[in-house]
Each structure stands twice: as structure tokens, then as C-alpha cells.
Amino acid sequence: MSDHLVTPDVERELQTKRFENTAGNPDDAQHMRDVLFANEQPQGVILTSLDNVVNWMRKSSIWPMTFGLACCAIEMMAMGAARFDIARFGAEVFRPSPRQSDLMIIAGRVSQKMAPVIRQLWEQMPEPKWVISMGACATSGGVFNNYALVQGVNQVIPVDIYVPGCPPRPEQLIYAITLLQEKIQKERGSFKRALNLA
């Protein structure tokens, strides 16, 4: 191996030394080294494997809420139809109640009157729950820069995935769901949280 190439272990050690200056005492530095630059999963092999199983089940059975605000909802409905068939990705079951849903798709502009309703619906959803902001209006207010509309739904509830466009195509929303599934699969501590141990 050439001398000018830096191996991952050397690079990790250099980054650790940089963090030691900010950590203070050696115990904090060691903890920071373990958390940030460790090669192994801190939870061990068994819990990591169980996390993978729980995350695989969650990502393969996403239940979106039947909830639309404006014109983006038409594209969201098209996503569930036969032409695009979101059932291939395990997210076709649109639930009529927030207590049975784990995904809220904000499809359309959010008015100031609707913001507390969205917040209440989001709070009624069981954990774990995720949010997709669909379209420019939901993400940033779009062309409606006035007092009546919220300039971004992230001011009301936390958002996991943003979908650009006005309106975005159903394919874009399907891609956003696949990105959300990747995010769900990479979560850690899912098994402990499922058993209320974390």
C-alpha cells in the first residue's frame, strides 16, 4: 500500500485526537471515541440483529394516513392506484384513523387554521411515526407567501423526508417512501424501544 494513502484506522485516530481536545478529561475522550469512531455496534451482535428484524418489519409495512390538504393529494391518490402500485413497496394500506397509521404525508399547503389540526393528528399517531412533506407548498409555503399559510410544515411537526415539486409526480413520492424505508432500516435501538426498555 502506498504511503500517501491514509487507511481508515489512521484517519479515525486523527479524528479522535481532534475530538480529544474538545472532550476535556480522558474518560470523556474515550467515550467519544467509542461512540463516534467505534468499529463494532455498542449494543452487541444479538440486539443489532434483532434491530434489523424489527426495522425490516416496520419498513415493509408502512401504513400512511388517509389525509390530503390540497392539489398534491391527487398525486398521492394516484400513487396508490394500479398504474403506480405502491403495494409493491409495502405501503398501500391507507388507514382512515391516525391511531392506526405510522406515516403522515403532508400533501398540500398548510393554512394557519389547519396547523393545530395537523399537530393533533400527529400526536394521536402511535410511535414510531414518520412524516413526509410533499410538494413546495408543504415544504416552504410555495408561491403563497402570505399571513394565512404556514411557511413550512416543519414549524408544526418534525419532518423526515421532503419531496420537491409543484406538484410532485407519484414516482417522486414513491422514491421518498423508499428513502424513508432506508432510514427506518438504519435505525438503532428499535428492539429496546419496542419492548419499552429504552
Side-chain angles (χ1 to χ4, degrees):
M1 185 182 210
S2 302
D3 293 336
H4 67 280
L5 296 176
V6 179
T7 63
D9 292 331
V10 172
E11 185 178 2
R12 186 179 296 114
E13 193 61 35
L14 291 173
Q15 290 178 342
T16 304
K17 286 180 182 176
R18 211 176 315 138
F19 277 102
E20 283 177 357
N21 295 332
T22 61
N25 65 31
D27 293 332
D28 291 341
Q30 180 62 36
H31 178 68
M32 191 175 291
R33 184 186 293 114
D34 293 339
V35 170
L36 295 176
F37 308 112
N39 289 324
E40 297 179 337
Q41 298 284 341
Q43 297 179 349
V45 177
I46 294 176
L47 286 179
T48 302
S49 300
L50 290 172
D51 280 351
N52 287 335
V53 171
V54 170
N55 291 339
W56 175 77
M57 289 187 291
R58 285 179 177 168
K59 81 166 192 167
S60 301
S61 61
I62 297 175
W63 289 3
M65 188 177 359
T66 307
F67 179 74
L69 293 172
C71 39
C72 282
I74 303 296
E75 304 296 322
M76 182 181 70
M77 288 182 244
M79 176 196 69
R83 180 177 178 186
F84 300 101
D85 192 21
I86 193 62
R88 296 172 294 157
F89 303 97
E92 79 278 10
V93 185
F94 277 88
R95 305 309 298 176
S97 167
R99 291 176 179 85
Q100 301 170 351
S101 308
D102 53 12
L103 172 63
M104 176 184 274
I105 301 173
I106 306 296
R109 57 192 178 272
V110 181
S111 65
Q112 296 286 354
K113 283 177 131 182
M114 198 64 187
V117 177
I118 290 173
R119 179 70 186 190
Q120 183 179 11
L121 288 172
W122 179 80
E123 288 173 351
Q124 289 175 353
M125 292 169 63
E127 292 286 346
K129 53 191 169 188
W130 302 279
V131 176
I132 292 178
S133 176
M134 181 182 177
C137 293
T139 300
S140 64
V143 297
F144 304 104
N145 187 10
N146 60 38
Y147 67 92
L149 296 180
V150 177
Q151 302 300 304
V153 73
N154 61 343
Q155 297 177 16
V156 182
I157 56 175
V159 176
D160 295 289
I161 306 288
Y162 293 92
V163 184
C166 181
R169 297 272 306 150
E171 296 93 342
Q172 286 176 267
L173 186 55
I174 291 173
Y175 179 62
I177 288 178
T178 59
L179 289 178
L180 181 63
Q181 288 175 329
E182 289 177 16
K183 180 178 181 178
I184 294 169
Q185 185 63 51
K186 292 176 183 174
E187 285 183 359
R188 292 168 65 182
S190 305
F191 182 72
K192 284 186 173 180
R193 285 195 301 273
L195 297 178
N196 288 329
L197 298 176

